Amino acid sequence: RARSRHARELAGKNASTHEFLEALARAAREVCDAGAAGVSRLVQSDHGTQLIRWESVAGDLAQHAGATSPRDWSPSGATLDRKSPQLFLYPARCFHYLDKLKPPIVEGLVVPIFVHGMPWGTLWVVSHEEHHNFDQTDVDAITSLAEFAAGILGRAAKAAPA
């Protein structure tokens, strides 16, 4: 029911892309009872390398919105490569730059967002607590939100002036 309520709320707004992504992050956080949630986008650096940028972040890590990481060395990049949801337990063990985040991430669930068949970014939720683990219900919930977002973002891309 919460997922349906959020989908109706997101679809009913004539919001900017930024407002939509902010609402999407809040919805994912609430639906999965996560410590934080966010939307990461695949972007090009000034030097032509691909980066992952945290476009919107809700919850405990909100102060890190706008942060970037290398596409090839990030949970989002790994998720886009595999084209399927990925669960990361203590992701800072592999992605060392995540050690700087407070509170630390115990578990992260990341799902890909593809727009018109092309990698666009990811939707993710994280837990900061040992006893709070994500399950298949959470995977289904944020996968559904990511698919919904892909449709909205795809329509926005088509409507944007060339």
Side-chain angles (χ1 to χ4, degrees):
R1 282 196 303 250
R3 191 169 53 222
S4 295
R5 178 174 50 83
H6 284 295
R8 283 193 306 275
E9 176 188 335
L10 293 170
K13 291 183 175 182
N14 188 13
S16 70
T17 300
H18 177 74
E19 291 170 326
F20 172 73
L21 297 178
E22 291 285 325
L24 183 64
R26 286 192 308 271
R29 180 175 183 237
E30 182 180 331
V31 168
C32 295
D33 190 29
V39 180
S40 294
R41 185 170 185 183
L42 186 60
V43 297
Q44 292 281 119
S45 75
D46 293 338
H47 305 296
T49 58
Q50 291 189 321
L51 300 172
I52 299 291
R53 182 175 55 219
W54 286 12
E55 290 290 326
S56 64
V57 183
D60 296 335
L61 301 175
Q63 70 271 22
H64 298 287
T68 60
S69 60
R71 186 226 190 273
D72 294 335
W73 191 41
S74 69
S76 289
T79 299
L80 290 171
D81 289 344
R82 288 164 182 79
K83 300 178 183 169
S84 64
Q86 301 296 307
L87 184 66
F88 297 90
L89 186 60
Y90 298 100
R93 292 185 297 189
C94 181
F95 309 105
H96 304 291
Y97 56 87
L98 295 176
D99 269 338
K100 297 175 185 167
L101 300 180
K102 301 294 180 226
I105 299 171
V106 172
E107 191 172 84
L109 175 60
V110 186
V111 299
I113 300 173
F114 285 84
V115 175
H116 301 300
M118 300 299 294
W120 184 91
T122 61
L123 177 62
W124 50 268
V125 291
V126 299
S127 172
H128 306 292
E129 302 172 15
E130 292 282 335
H131 66 276
H132 183 269
N133 302 108
F134 298 113
D135 60 20
Q136 188 61 47
T137 303
D138 299 308
V139 174
D140 294 343
I142 68 165
T143 297
S144 177
L145 285 171
E147 290 169 353
F148 174 75
I152 297 291
L153 295 166
R155 284 192 290 282
K158 280 186 178 180

